[in-house]
Amino acid sequence: MDRRDFMAGGFGALLAGALPAAFAQSWPDRPIRAVQGFPAGGNADTIARLVGTEMSKALGQPFVVEAVTGAGGTLGSAAVARAAPDGNTILLATGGHVVAGALYDKLPYDTIASFDPVSTITFFPFLLAVPADSKFRNLGDVLSAARGAPGTIGYGTAGVGSTHHLVGELLAKMAGVRMMHVPFRGDAASIPALLGNNIPLVIAPPTAVLGHAKAGKVRVLAVTGPERWGAMPDVPTVAEQGVAGYDVRSWAGWMVPAGTPPAVIARLNAETLKALQVPAVKSRLEDMGGEARGSTPQEMRAMMVAELQKWKQVVADAGIPRMG
């Protein structure tokens, strides 16, 4: 290589390094498309709007939340995976994103490699609830009945392959019982079935249960997280009721298409962490049953990798057929 080639190559390398930085300085120059994969008005939609609205104040562009629904949130993930990695499309992912990776044989994206994590936003437990007049007074009653009549005690969830479903399968595995999964089309269908005494038990997020519990229509038997939930301090955890080590929480967080400029990811991460410190944002997430908790992109990726392996094992142990 002669001096001119060396100089040209060096200049090209410098230019290539400068382009992402220059791009990041001008970004965002248009509204940010925030995709979430579940029905409008649900948990994911509410979280995306809440945090996105706060972040838009600093970024100077609105977050336009779009519900791309279907197939357990995988259609929304697919839409973001194939979007340009320019920071103008962002995914509000939930724990269901990783669950889908454990359940589906073929997805139009890689659960981990097709995305660059930005930050987690919130973590929340699930609740195990029964009708107010149920004979089950605590989780021990449910597990005793399941041991006495294997496969007859049903639990309702938001659908086959939902995080709720795997919460139940992991509970059965760790408690050494066999229960019957009763899938519905979302929490909006499982809760009315519970209220009508069509199923004896549901596993659902706090937002789906709390209002009915306050109205005296359902009784919450257990919280799936490692600690009692502040809104219901008298309700014990699953672990407290004899299933040692049980700890399942779902989460929500931002991701972008793989290859998004690191400077853009760093800015999104910084603004997410700032938004989570705003009292109104924190209190709203807590009202929804969650804990506002951000992360570094690296921490979020490590969490997702670990969860993917855990849920793959649960799927295998429970004999859940993998989907096409």
Side-chain angles (χ1 to χ4, degrees):
M1 179 182 293
D2 63 24
R3 184 171 182 275
R4 285 178 300 175
D5 290 335
F6 179 82
M7 291 292 288
F11 179 75
L14 286 172
L15 181 60
L19 284 175
F23 172 79
Q25 289 176 0
S26 64
W27 174 90
D29 59 358
R30 62 181 186 269
I32 295 170
R33 178 191 181 210
V35 174
Q36 61 86 17
F38 301 92
N43 267 16
D45 188 67
T46 301
I47 293 167
R49 294 179 188 281
L50 174 70
V51 180
T53 297
E54 187 61 37
M55 292 172 65
S56 70
K57 297 175 184 178
L59 292 172
Q61 293 288 346
F63 276 56
V64 180
V65 178
E66 179 181 348
V68 181
T69 63
T74 61
L75 297 187
S77 294
V80 173
R82 62 176 176 259
D86 56 10
N88 293 305
T89 302
I90 188 169
L91 174 68
L92 192 285
T94 70
H97 174 83
V98 178
V99 167
L103 277 169
Y104 284 82
D105 273 325
K106 296 179 180 179
L107 288 169
Y109 56 85
D110 184 281
T111 303
I112 306 297
S114 295
F115 304 89
D116 285 333
V118 173
S119 174
T120 57
I121 291 172
T122 183
F123 290 78
F124 57 90
F126 289 89
L127 305 180
L128 279 64
V130 297
D133 59 356
S134 172
K135 65 180 180 181
F136 300 131
R137 309 303 300 180
N138 52 55
L139 181 59
D141 290 345
V142 175
L143 299 179
S144 293
R147 291 188 183 99
T152 64
I153 304 301
Y155 66 94
T157 75
V160 174
S162 63
T163 307
H164 317 43
H165 179 193
L166 296 196
V167 165
E169 294 293 349
L170 183 62
L171 172 62
K173 173 189 174 184
M174 293 182 66
V177 302
R178 186 158 56 87
M179 299 174 69
M180 178 175 62
H181 178 228
V182 184
F184 290 86
R185 292 181 64 85
D187 299 314
S190 68
I191 298 300
L194 183 76
L195 297 175
N197 280 294
N198 295 314
I199 50 173
L201 173 74
V202 295
I203 297 172
T207 48
V209 174
L210 184 58
H212 300 294
K214 287 182 175 180
K217 296 179 180 179
V218 304
R219 185 166 62 253
V220 179
L221 301 185
V223 179
T224 65
E227 301 171 348
R228 296 192 180 198
W229 181 36
M232 292 183 170
D234 295 332
V235 176
T237 66
V238 170
E240 286 181 275
Q241 298 184 73
V243 188
Y246 190 90
D247 171 14
V248 181
R249 288 160 289 176
S250 194
W251 51 269
W254 295 125
M255 298 199 300
V256 290
T260 297
V264 170
I265 294 173
R267 179 78 190 281
L268 284 168
N269 177 268
E271 297 306 336
T272 301
L273 298 182
K274 289 178 185 177
L276 294 180
Q277 295 303 311
V278 174
V281 173
K282 289 182 66 175
S283 64
R284 180 69 181 106
L285 291 173
E286 289 169 359
D287 289 344
M288 296 172 66
E291 170 196 1
R293 193 201 316 169
S295 71
T296 65
Q298 295 77 17
E299 289 168 340
M300 184 174 175
R301 184 181 296 277
M303 177 196 72
M304 291 170 59
V305 169
E307 284 202 350
L308 182 59
Q309 295 308 309
K310 177 179 77 174
W311 291 130
K312 281 183 175 179
Q313 190 63 53
V314 171
V315 168
D317 290 345
I320 300 171
R322 286 178 63 84
M323 302 177 186

